[in-house]
Amino acid sequence: MTERAYFDWNATAPLRPEARAAMMEAFGLPGNPSSIHAEGRAARRTIEVARGKVAALVGADPAAVTFTSGGTEANALALSPHWSTTPYRRLLVSAVEHPSVLAGGRFAPADIEQVPVTADGVVDLAALAARLRGLADQLPLVSVMLANNESGVIQPVSAVAQLVHEAGGLLHVDAVQAVGRVSCDIKALGADLLTLSAHKIGGPKGVGALVRRTTDLHPQEPLMRGGGQERGLRAGTENVAAIAGFGAVAAAIHAGWPEEATRMRAARDRLESEIRAVSPQAVIFGENAERLPNTTLFTIPGLKAETAIIALDLDGVALSSGAACSSGKVQPSHVLTAMGVAPDLARGALRVSLGATTTESDIQTFVQAWKKLSESLLKRRTSIAA
Ligand code: PLP
């Protein structure tokens, strides 16, 4: 295979060496972490060390970290009406949430409402405040992501927390794309529940966590019942190696903060200025809002995302579209639709997402491939017009 430039870190990040090493070590542990013999205790220790590292990454109490199979499961565990003896009757989610939040967990579809976002992709605080006032005595659970996976737009989570808590509600924050890229302390954010996923930060796929502000918050209805693992919150023998990898990557990200984020921002800003130099007509979605340091969602009028992705792939560049593909038909992304972007423009959106190890040579590979693609588009248009 020719030299590849990987720009799809928001889909999944390459495994970091720290995670690989911790997993290799954990694969050598024969015991079940619930067993009381030495082998079992060694596996248990591995999990608890990892729990401490994940907790430290987001300023939480280790006892408030519940390991899950990933961000999707953590979101499903969080979105329950039953976090106290008085049920949360309404679920309010921003219109740009990940599908695993939009699905609403264990709320009945009739009890789920979407809160609009502005044209920049930021949750409309006035609309949220008005909706919370209108709920009267119905306690709300509100779910607003810290950063969007497609646009990278960062949400004003602290302001949301204030509104939600004034209304007596509970705030869940999906921080899957934010952690390691922006500051993400559960208490500073004012979040009650926080979702994390290891594979977005260089850990293994298939492990994540739901973090609670305090252990006093205890779901009355866990998703998985059975052996009582994870303090009764998530039954099933723990994936020791994946959890070890998650812990190792959490510690590495914590140690590299904020220098890695600064490096990502410099690389992303250079990439955006190169896109603008090649294509002055480029539209960068959410560019007036605060965004993740590693993400650019952009298009040029007339571009077809699926064709562009294939052409770029052939030239060694891996990236995604901001659109969803279902039954072979590319639909404009719900994120861009919520931002009021016209369907034709939205269908051409390309997401470039990079990471801590993205190099200048990766950026140059992208720029050369993008130049070639834009020139061929231009040629095609000129020949059609002639
Ligand atoms: N939340 C957000 C914002 C995501 O981007 C993703 C993954 O794409 C998820 C949740 C789901 O995480 P996982 O892949 O670990 O289930």
Side-chain angles (χ1 to χ4, degrees):
M1 200 151 65
T2 50
E3 267 304 283
R4 302 278 304 169
Y6 186 72
F7 283 103
D8 205 9
W9 288 61
N10 289 12
T12 199
L15 193 70
R16 285 179 79 126
E18 299 89 343
R20 187 189 297 266
M23 290 171 77
M24 291 310 285
E25 199 179 323
F27 283 133
L29 296 170
N32 183 319
S34 296
S35 301
I36 55 175
H37 45 62
E39 288 82 353
R41 292 199 309 277
R44 165 66 42 211
R45 236 182 345 267
T46 297
I47 290 178
E48 296 314 320
V49 168
R51 197 187 307 281
K53 291 174 177 172
V54 171
L57 182 61
V58 293
D61 172 359
V65 172
T66 304
F67 288 117
T68 63
S69 66
T72 298
E73 186 191 330
N75 284 341
L77 178 60
L79 302 184
S80 159
H82 305 292
W83 279 99
S84 78
T85 43
T86 319
Y88 292 88
R89 296 217 175 273
R90 302 292 292 177
L91 173 64
L92 271 54
V93 302
S94 93
V96 294
E97 294 300 309
H98 186 265
S100 59
V101 168
L102 293 177
R106 280 162 291 166
F107 281 83
D111 294 332
I112 307 169
E113 292 178 44
Q114 289 192 13
V115 180
V117 297
T118 65
D120 287 324
V122 178
V123 68
D124 184 335
L125 288 173
L128 174 64
R131 194 56 207 113
L132 288 169
R133 274 195 303 275
L135 289 179
D137 56 350
Q138 289 188 315
L139 281 184
L141 175 62
V142 177
S143 185
V144 173
M145 66 204 329
L146 183 47
N148 186 265
N149 42 308
E150 293 182 22
S151 64
V153 168
I154 295 170
Q155 299 297 342
V157 164
S158 303
V160 170
Q162 199 173 339
L163 293 174
V164 172
H165 293 147
E166 278 166 11
L170 208 58
L171 176 64
H172 166 249
V173 173
D174 177 341
V176 162
Q177 295 288 350
V179 73
R181 297 171 182 161
V182 292
S183 174
C184 193
D185 179 288
I186 189 167
K187 296 191 181 84
L189 289 170
D192 299 298
L193 302 164
L194 196 77
T195 288
L196 303 175
S197 173
H199 75 101
K200 306 289 185 180
I201 56 173
K205 297 167 184 71
V207 63
L210 182 66
V211 184
R212 291 163 289 148
R213 179 177 40 80
T214 156
T215 50
D216 294 344
L217 266 173
H218 208 273
Q220 316 283 304
E221 282 185 359
L223 265 183
M224 314 259 213
R225 293 165 188 276
Q229 288 91 347
E230 292 296 281
R231 297 176 170 85
L233 297 189
R234 205 272 186 180
T237 302
E238 298 88 339
N239 187 344
V240 182
I243 290 172
F246 189 8
V249 82
I253 295 266
H254 202 36
W257 171 264
E259 292 77 13
E260 286 190 355
T262 307
R263 259 202 316 277
M264 285 182 219
R265 186 177 301 281
R268 193 276 311 270
D269 289 353
R270 261 196 37 62
L271 199 128
E272 285 190 355
S273 64
E274 294 278 7
I275 292 172
R276 286 215 186 282
V278 177
S279 316
Q281 76 279 38
V283 178
I284 297 179
F285 299 106
E287 80 172 319
N288 298 320
E290 206 189 328
R291 284 180 301 150
L292 286 176
N294 78 318
T295 308
T296 299
L297 183 67
F298 80 103
T299 192
I300 53 173
L303 188 75
K304 284 204 168 37
E306 68 273 33
T307 323
I309 288 169
I310 293 166
L312 293 167
D313 187 33
L314 289 172
D315 280 330
V317 176
L319 49 69
S320 287
S321 72
C325 182
S326 62
S327 44
K329 194 166 178 281
V330 175
Q331 305 288 348
S333 102
H334 72 282
V335 173
L336 291 174
T337 302
M339 290 163 70
V341 176
D344 274 355
L345 199 60
R347 274 193 204 100
L350 295 177
R351 180 185 67 186
V352 186
S353 54
L354 48 83
T357 56
T358 299
T359 61
E360 180 56 31
S361 146
D362 293 330
I363 293 179
Q364 283 316 314
T365 304
F366 170 83
V367 174
Q368 292 316 316
W370 178 248
K371 264 189 193 149
K372 192 172 148 194
L373 176 64
S374 336
E375 278 160 16
S376 78
L377 269 176
L378 203 63
K379 252 191 226 143
R380 197 164 342 125
R381 265 186 226 154
T382 324
S383 73
I384 290 168

